[in-house]
Amino acid sequence: MPTATAAKKKTVRINGCVASAQAAKYADVDVIAAYPIRPYTATMMALAQMVANGELDAEYIVADSEHSQLSIAHGASSSGARVFTGSSGVGVQFAYELYSPISGSRMPVQMMIADRTLDPPGDFGSEHTDALSTRDMGWLMGWACDAQEAFDNHLIAYRIGEDKRVLLPQMVCQDGFFVSHITTDVELPDSGQVREFLPPYKHPYPLDPRHPVSHGPQIMPEQGPPLQLERARAMEDSMAVIEEVHKEFGEIFGRHYDPWLEEYKTDDAEVVFFLQGGHGVTARFAIQHMREKGLKVGMVRLRTIRPYPTDRVCEVLSKFKVVGVIETNMALGSPASGGALYADACAALYEAPERPLVISFMAGMGGEAIVLKEFYWMTEKMIQAQKRGKIEKRTHWVGFEE
Amino acid sequence: MATYIQIDPTQKLEPFKSVKKLPLEEYFTSGHRTCQGCESALVMKMMAKAAGPRSIILGSTGCMYVANTTYYSTSWVVPWMHTQLGSSGSAALGTSAALKVLMRKGKIKNEPINVIAFCGDGGGADMGVGAISATLTHAEYNSLILMYDNESYANTDIQLSGSTPWGANTTFSSPGKMKRIMHRRWKKNMAGMMAAGHPECKYVATICMSYGLHGMNSIRKALAIGGPTFIHSLDPCPKGWDYDPYLSHEMGELAVNSGVWPLYEVENGVLRLTGRTEQIAAGKIRRVPVRDYLLKQGRFAHFTNDDIDYFQSKVDDMWEKWLIPGVIPFRKDVEADPPPAN
């Protein structure tokens, strides 16, 4: 068990993008693959300055596309480097081809995502559809709700992904603008503590002429099932490592995160919001207000969506009468005909002895802020459903209904 | 003057003196399942031999991935990695950058290691051209991109690529009752484009492994010179070009001797025609008519005399009208518009 060294931590006022860049610096990454797209690009701007100032010794490569960014990351990681890259919106999708090969070759590349809507509408706001559309590609994935959590998640994700029991790439996500461009206090740790928590990366099978290996060979169909099973098991088995690493992080740095879910005022709650990312901060505030009015409302914020904490979600959400899923993503034609989070939540709840009513709220689309009165409106819908004992309809588009 | 570009030391790779003096060790061996007469497999073997054991080879999707690197029977003795179809350039860049930083940080032994990424004409001239172009501008990273050009997507059943010659019969351009010539695009001039467009790239060459020693020595030069380099290899393909596999070697010779495939290298910005091409340019030997090359291949069997004449005229243009014959298609003179038809 690592022990905390004399802590030389400091508190700085930075936004989510810079927090991510700081985390990459503390992780002493070897290769950075950059390409500009708003809003994540501020992370790469900060890293360029750090490399220029000699604060970080890394190869900073400006790629010619996101596809190249991830290809650079793949090659660099396969050669044994700790790699940092990132993107937003359509950029995440331009690189799509590489996600499965990177997880398939078990390369713990880390990618920072600051969400942005896809086209259309292509505005600069945050919708989680960019990263969520890649959620089943074998990458560990989770959302931060503020800059501090983003910083912490990067270090935690490297440690999990590089664990020899896991060896999987990670998408460390934060809402564009709501997190990436809002400045808050962030505690930066003592770098000695980070070295203890996150030792230098050593891949077991790098491309090395002394020990030649072939990565990613062509296989015959009959060789497919075991290879796919291996990757599926790596994802499943990562769950124990995820819990272990979060526990250790808390012990060293003093910030204790539940790896899967943040529960806010759920002890006596009857209706809860189920969401991920930066809107959780507004939700807490709205819940405080509604609590003053005597409404038994709470929030469950999903911190890790891949691997999905099915048992935990089932156990926690089945305590409530009504669950209101706030999507902030588009899953057109999906089971709720709204967002993607609903289907996962319902699947997790299926085996619960008593299931809550589940409603999908399409809110924050196009990166709109979800304002307090919308939280009140959604709470009202949940309470109505609770009284009636059934939902009015599966999906509400918030702001388009009375 | 200050040095702005830090190129790491490369291996000393002197040219091989003769075929008889080649090392016996092979780094691309059994285990592959390429077609009989596959010249690209020969290119892989020669490339690995020329590079030697201190090499990392990356292969983008294509024949030389699908047929060469079957799980449990890899033919690569040196470390090898699959990259995506359009990723040869960027994966080479990432690999080279990783070696550079890991050596600088003392995480791996500091020694020169060759990084080679190969791609077919589909992966190189079509999908991956942007990434290759980008890599050739990253002057600090040692790598060789080798494009093995069998002039079609041969692994997926012979579909035309941007590098397929005009008029060829492919499964995307089969002659039909109404249209004899379905493929009406002229072959992309990849080596010329890479040489002309990337002033920091120290070495670009065209090769054909019918001239094996020449090809291997080009590869050694590309690896030893430092920085990113590019080689375009023309590889006759019995399946895609439709000829008897025993003719592969002869087909390569005909491509060079007909002037269809000029051999040259651009070393530190200096252009030199090489091999038989140099002799053709010097007037020591005459170009063989393209008819002799085309009609040995089933993919041109539907050509009429007019088609052959057109093909010949385009090759003649390349030799007679290009500012740098066979290399850069800028014209020497402004050609007058043809007189209007009455």
Side-chain angles (χ1 to χ4, degrees):
Chain A
M1 180 63 63
T3 50
T5 53
K8 277 178 267 171
K9 59 189 185 186
K10 57 180 176 186
T11 301
V12 293
R13 194 157 286 180
I14 51 178
N15 64 26
C17 275
V18 177
S20 294
Q22 282 288 350
K25 186 180 93 175
Y26 274 86
D28 187 26
V29 298
D30 300 310
V31 173
I32 299 162
Y35 187 81
I37 184 169
R38 281 180 206 277
Y40 110 96
T41 201
T43 297
M44 290 302 176
M45 285 149 58
L47 279 168
Q49 199 62 58
M50 290 171 187
V51 171
N53 290 341
E55 295 165 41
L56 170 62
D57 184 8
E59 293 301 305
Y60 184 89
I61 305 177
V62 180
D64 60 301
S65 70
E66 287 88 0
H67 188 277
S68 287
Q69 265 183 296
L70 270 287
S71 302
I72 289 165
H74 191 196
S77 185
S78 302
S79 312
R82 180 176 283 161
V83 184
F84 184 81
T85 188
S87 198
S88 292
V90 289
V92 179
Q93 300 211 315
F94 195 81
Y96 208 121
E97 185 191 17
L98 271 299
Y99 297 131
S100 181
I102 288 175
S103 73
S105 56
R106 307 289 295 279
M107 292 302 157
V109 168
Q110 186 170 113
M111 184 165 185
M112 179 274 197
I113 311 268
D115 300 293
R116 173 176 173 176
T117 57
L118 300 177
D119 294 341
D123 63 67
F124 295 138
S126 177
E127 253 179 45
H128 297 177
T129 319
D130 51 2
L132 275 183
S133 70
T134 74
R135 68 190 178 276
D136 298 324
M137 292 294 109
W139 289 53
L140 308 175
M141 181 185 282
W143 263 261
C145 76
D146 59 31
Q148 179 73 65
E149 192 181 10
F151 178 90
D152 295 343
N153 282 357
H154 284 289
L155 297 182
I156 291 169
Y158 266 129
R159 173 70 191 278
I160 297 164
E162 291 173 0
D163 191 296
K164 285 185 181 55
R165 295 166 289 175
V166 179
L167 289 177
L168 285 173
Q170 320 104 45
M171 277 193 196
V172 181
C173 310
Q174 57 182 263
D175 280 88
F177 301 98
F178 300 133
V179 178
S180 75
H181 282 63
I182 288 186
T183 300
T184 55
D185 282 352
V186 174
E187 187 182 297
L188 298 179
D190 166 41
S191 55
Q193 282 181 308
V194 176
R195 274 196 296 278
E196 249 178 290
F197 175 72
L198 184 65
Y201 166 56
K202 195 158 174 54
H203 195 274
Y205 309 105
L207 297 170
D208 173 6
R210 283 189 175 74
H211 307 283
V213 284
S214 286
H215 286 184
Q218 178 84 5
I219 61 159
M220 295 290 141
E222 63 270 26
Q223 295 166 327
L227 277 180
Q228 300 295 49
L229 179 61
E230 282 281 303
R231 186 156 45 146
R233 278 187 179 151
M235 191 50 107
E236 277 176 45
D237 293 349
S238 73
M239 298 187 85
V241 179
I242 290 171
E243 296 195 347
E244 189 183 303
V245 170
H246 277 82
K247 192 162 171 285
E248 197 181 310
F249 183 89
E251 283 162 8
I252 295 179
F253 298 99
R255 282 185 295 284
H256 300 271
Y257 294 103
D258 181 312
W260 314 111
L261 304 172
E262 177 206 339
E263 289 188 59
Y264 183 76
K265 297 206 188 290
T266 54
D267 283 349
D268 62 342
E270 289 175 348
V271 302
V272 293
F273 292 111
F274 184 58
L275 50 71
Q276 54 178 11
H279 294 294
V281 176
T282 329
R284 286 186 203 137
F285 195 64
I287 289 165
Q288 283 173 22
H289 276 255
M290 289 183 283
R291 285 267 163 185
E292 284 163 15
K293 292 177 190 162
L295 302 177
K296 290 186 174 175
V297 56
M299 172 185 75
V300 178
R301 180 171 65 89
L302 188 61
R303 293 191 69 250
T304 305
I305 190 167
R306 287 296 179 271
Y308 197 79
T310 309
D311 293 338
R312 194 60 205 292
V313 169
C314 180
E315 180 203 322
V316 170
L317 292 190
S318 59
K319 294 188 298 196
F320 311 110
K321 300 282 186 253
V322 184
V323 172
V325 181
I326 300 182
E327 297 283 1
T328 50
N329 75 84
M330 290 275 276
L332 295 165
S334 64
S337 195
L341 299 186
Y342 171 90
D344 279 0
C346 287
L349 283 166
Y350 183 75
E351 283 165 18
E354 284 193 46
R355 288 193 289 263
L357 298 172
V358 184
I359 305 171
S360 173
F361 289 114
M362 296 300 283
M365 307 313 297
E368 259 296 42
I370 306 175
V371 295
L372 291 177
K373 69 173 183 186
E374 289 178 330
F375 278 101
Y376 305 152
W377 184 86
M378 289 188 278
T379 306
E380 189 58 34
K381 284 287 168 198
M382 289 197 283
I383 289 168
Q384 281 171 13
Q386 185 191 355
K387 283 182 187 155
R388 222 182 277 133
K390 62 174 188 178
I391 59 169
E392 182 188 336
K393 56 181 177 177
R394 277 194 206 102
T395 301
H396 292 279
W397 276 77
V398 178
F400 292 87
E401 298 171 25
E402 287 302 311
Chain B
M1 207 162 58
T3 309
Y4 292 101
I5 294 170
Q6 302 287 339
I7 296 179
D8 292 341
T10 56
Q11 294 175 42
K12 284 197 171 45
L13 299 167
E14 299 296 331
F16 293 135
K17 295 277 187 272
S18 75
V19 174
K20 288 179 182 168
K21 292 188 176 158
L22 293 180
L24 291 176
E25 290 82 6
E26 300 290 354
Y27 303 103
F28 173 81
T29 63
S30 55
H32 63 90
R33 43 196 181 90
T34 54
C35 309
Q36 192 180 23
C38 173
E39 286 289 281
S40 295
L42 183 71
V43 170
M44 294 297 115
K45 175 182 151 114
M46 303 294 218
M47 176 185 82
K49 193 188 271 286
R54 314 293 302 146
S55 304
I56 292 172
I57 298 183
L58 315 171
S60 67
T61 313
C63 287
M64 294 301 106
Y65 159 56
V66 173
N68 266 345
T69 318
T70 308
Y71 194 42
Y72 289 148
S73 68
T74 180
S75 39
W76 295 101
V77 177
V78 289
W80 179 91
M81 180 186 116
H82 172 232
T83 76
Q84 299 311 109
L85 184 52
S87 297
S88 54
S90 33
L93 183 58
T95 302
S96 184
L99 295 179
K100 192 184 188 87
V101 64
L102 293 176
M103 286 176 194
R104 185 172 71 231
K105 286 180 166 180
K107 291 182 179 175
I108 59 173
K109 193 181 169 206
N110 197 342
E111 60 184 334
I113 293 175
N114 300 319
V115 175
I116 304 176
F118 63 77
C119 53
D121 47 305
D126 282 351
M127 193 186 271
V129 68
I132 293 171
S133 170
T135 299
L136 296 183
T137 65
H138 285 274
E140 300 193 348
Y141 300 114
N142 299 333
S143 66
L144 162 64
I145 315 291
L146 185 141
M147 180 171 121
Y148 65 94
D149 179 5
N150 55 18
E151 299 196 320
S152 76
Y153 290 84
N155 183 58
T156 42
D157 272 347
I158 327 295
Q159 292 84 13
L160 69 86
S161 78
S163 203
T164 300
W166 180 88
N169 179 353
T170 70
T171 53
F172 278 2
S173 61
S174 305
K177 287 175 187 161
M178 294 295 288
K179 289 186 176 175
R180 188 179 66 261
I181 302 294
M182 280 286 283
H183 176 43
R184 296 182 293 277
R185 295 153 59 190
W186 197 256
K187 183 181 172 75
K188 223 183 242 196
N189 179 19
M190 268 297 278
M193 175 173 21
M194 293 302 128
H198 306 88
E200 295 289 313
C201 169
K202 292 181 169 186
Y203 191 78
V204 171
T206 59
I207 63 172
C208 177
M209 278 301 176
S210 298
Y211 304 94
L213 198 64
H214 170 268
M216 292 168 87
N217 284 337
S218 288
I219 288 164
R220 284 171 79 80
K221 205 183 265 190
L223 291 168
I225 203 165
T229 54
F230 181 79
I231 289 180
H232 185 170
S233 172
L234 182 75
D235 304 358
C237 168
K239 181 175 142 192
W241 298 15
D242 190 11
Y243 61 82
D244 194 306
Y246 85 94
L247 285 172
S248 281
H249 188 88
E250 187 182 350
M251 214 57 73
E253 289 182 337
L254 278 168
V256 173
N257 290 329
S258 61
V260 167
W261 186 243
L263 296 174
Y264 60 86
E265 62 183 11
V266 183
E267 183 181 352
N268 285 316
V270 178
L271 170 71
R272 193 162 40 241
L273 300 179
T274 54
R276 302 282 290 180
T277 302
E278 186 188 5
Q279 292 171 279
I280 292 171
K284 290 178 189 160
I285 51 173
R286 285 176 65 81
R287 277 186 282 136
V288 173
V290 296
R291 171 184 294 271
D292 296 4
Y293 172 59
L294 300 179
L295 293 187
K296 283 199 169 59
Q297 304 170 43
R299 61 178 174 160
F300 300 116
H302 57 295
F303 270 23
T304 62
N305 283 333
D306 280 352
D307 299 337
I308 294 171
D309 288 348
Y310 174 73
F311 204 108
Q312 182 71 61
S313 74
K314 294 284 281 184
V315 174
D316 290 347
D317 278 1
M318 191 166 103
W319 282 92
E320 291 157 14
K321 294 186 179 169
W322 287 19
L323 186 63
I324 304 174
V327 183
I328 306 288
F330 303 149
R331 300 300 171 110
K332 293 177 199 167
D333 302 302
V334 177
E335 281 177 51
D337 289 336
N342 286 326

